[in-house]
Amino acid sequence: MIYGIQSDENKIDGVLFDMKFENVYFVNGTAYAGKSTIVKALANKYDGIVCEENYHDTLIADLDSAEFPSLTYTRDLVNWSDFIRRTPDEYEAWVNGCIRECTILELKILEKISRRGKKVFVDTNIPIEVLWDISDIDHVLIMLANPDISVNRFFDRPDKEKQFLYQLLLKEENPDKALDNFKECLKRINSKKRYDNFLNSGFHVILRDESRTIEESLSLAEKVFRLR
């Protein structure tokens, strides 16, 4: 049962929670580090349950916008051009808000899923401080890619959401200026400070390596989680 989360504008100070997740394996970190690939591979190999990126989206339709203003921002957005026109400060504040709100939803979901008796592998947004409260060093893996990759390759992926935003940017009165502004937003949330926070979290870290195969990355993750 979740009793509450105390937070300010920039961080979650603490979580009051009545259990530790002993059969849940968390993967956090930066974009383009291979998190989604690893959680799916682990769940497949160990006949586990996979919670893929943004698995909390299943609850968004019923959220109260007053209680979850960041997560419902895009749900209730009328003009998507407003999304891409935000300043880096506005964009960063929204992302930080989403992380806080996602944490509440993820914990609610995981409390139920973890009771099924299977191993659960999670691509998570839950912050480092909270992971130390609800888990331990053998159940958390941090995967990191160079921050520049997350910015420069943002529109390389073919998923509909990113391509939709890209087309909106191209339709702006000054597309180059719009793209530059959005890139500054991405730089803000993929900063060296955020990267270093993950790197120095105390949890095991796997760095992106283009020469490493999926099987080799899987083996590294298994060792971190003491699955073999």
Side-chain angles (χ1 to χ4, degrees):
M1 180 176 182
I2 300 172
Y3 297 104
I5 293 182
Q6 301 171 342
S7 63
D8 58 27
E9 185 177 357
N10 298 314
K11 67 178 181 179
I12 296 173
D13 294 323
V15 174
L16 299 176
F17 203 70
D18 66 352
M19 65 179 292
K20 288 271 189 177
F21 290 107
E22 297 179 355
N23 63 327
V24 181
Y25 299 83
F26 297 94
V27 182
N28 202 341
T30 61
Y32 295 90
K35 302 188 300 295
S36 60
T37 299
I38 284 299
V39 295
K40 285 185 283 189
L42 286 166
N44 182 62
K45 182 169 182 177
Y46 291 93
D47 188 30
I49 299 169
V50 61
C51 293
E52 298 185 54
E53 182 181 15
N54 298 326
Y55 64 96
H56 58 270
D57 281 353
T58 56
L59 302 179
I60 287 182
D62 297 322
L63 294 182
D64 182 343
S65 60
E67 186 178 1
F68 296 92
S70 297
L71 288 178
T72 57
Y73 169 78
T74 53
R75 183 197 70 182
D76 301 338
L77 192 61
V78 176
N79 183 359
W80 273 87
S81 293
D82 292 337
F83 180 92
I84 60 171
R85 291 170 183 165
R86 289 177 297 175
T87 66
D89 285 345
E90 291 170 332
Y91 193 85
E92 183 179 28
W94 172 69
V95 169
N96 288 337
C98 285
I99 291 173
R100 289 196 300 271
E101 295 169 18
C102 284
T103 297
I104 298 171
L105 300 187
E106 287 193 53
L107 292 175
K108 286 181 178 180
I109 294 170
L110 291 174
E111 185 180 18
K112 295 179 180 179
I113 293 178
S114 63
R115 294 172 180 167
R116 297 181 188 176
K118 285 192 171 187
K119 291 180 172 61
V120 185
F121 300 95
V122 188
D123 183 348
T124 188
N125 289 304
I126 298 174
I128 294 300
E129 313 89 270
V130 179
L131 289 173
W132 276 117
D133 285 342
I134 64 173
S135 191
D136 58 53
I137 198 166
D138 295 329
H139 289 77
V140 177
L141 169 63
I142 303 300
M143 300 187 71
L144 300 176
N146 187 300
D148 289 342
I149 294 177
S150 303
V151 176
N152 297 327
R153 297 180 60 178
F154 184 82
F155 292 116
D156 287 355
R157 288 181 173 176
D159 52 285
K160 294 180 179 179
E161 293 82 0
K162 288 184 174 61
Q163 294 309 311
F164 171 71
L165 294 178
Y166 185 60
Q167 292 304 315
L168 281 179
L169 288 163
L170 294 180
K171 292 176 182 177
E172 288 290 284
E173 183 176 349
N174 188 332
D176 290 339
K177 184 178 179 180
L179 283 165
D180 286 343
N181 177 69
F182 195 74
K183 183 174 287 189
E184 289 302 313
C185 293
L186 295 176
K187 286 180 180 179
R188 187 71 67 84
I189 64 168
N190 292 284
S191 66
K192 179 75 162 46
K193 181 179 179 180
R194 288 179 185 257
Y195 180 95
D196 287 344
N197 184 53
F198 281 124
L199 186 65
N200 301 313
S201 65
F203 289 119
H204 296 287
V205 175
I206 294 178
L207 301 178
R208 179 186 174 94
D209 183 346
E210 299 283 358
S211 66
R212 193 172 56 231
T213 66
I214 294 176
E215 290 73 21
E216 289 170 335
S217 294
L218 176 60
S219 179
L220 291 174
E222 289 176 299
K223 291 177 182 177
V224 167
F225 290 144
R226 297 185 182 274
L227 294 172
R228 65 178 192 136

